[in-house]
Amino acid sequence: MQLDRATGWFTGVSHCPSPNFNARPEGEAISLLVIHNISLPPACFGTGKVQEFFQNRLDPDEHPYFATINHLTVSAHLFVERDGAVTQFVSLLDRAWHAGVSRFGEREGCNDFSIGIELEGTDELPYTDAQYATLELLTREIRAAWPVIDAQRICGHNDIAPQRKTDPGPAFDWPRYRAALQRNEDKA
């Protein structure tokens, strides 16, 4: 798994292009990484429904929950499944629609300057070892391309939209993730 910095696409992952993206504002630098969670239906894993959702192909009649979200046009750059498999929906160079109404520090509209990674999960269920390992690899590649994304510029969706969002939730082990990133920095 390696980032092609010229295109913003990772090699060695599945590509499932989403129509839900646009260009970043001219001159906007990528400077934030946002961690999310998603599962469709909620708490059901390995269904392929996240891919359908981010491609606007979710059947609203298939599950009652789908009818409540079918009108949304959202995406993320990357999705990490429970087994660590990665699907990329949007080039990292483009603006994915993952953060919604959001604020980081004094800046609003985090989609303009962030990369969004969705972990297959819920706020309450522990994430897998494979997901942490993959997230660490993705983060390492992203930080190599955009060194401004230091530990203080990696956050959860709940941090940038606290009135609306709770993910990645209390089940996400921030100390574990940050320690793994620190170990990588110490080796460099």
Side-chain angles (χ1 to χ4, degrees), residues 155-174:
C155 63
H157 199 185
N158 59 304
D159 296 315
I160 61 170
Q163 304 303 315
R164 299 183 310 110
K165 298 297 180 176
T166 58
D167 59 310
F172 186 73
D173 191 342
W174 283 104

Side-chain angles (χ1 to χ4, degrees), residues 32 102-110 113 152-153 155 159-162:
L32 184 67
S102 54
R103 172 188 219 83
F104 182 79
E106 297 302 313
R107 297 198 57 199
E108 294 186 5
C110 294
F113 56 95
Q152 289 71 43
R153 299 192 70 82
C155 63
D159 296 315
I160 61 170

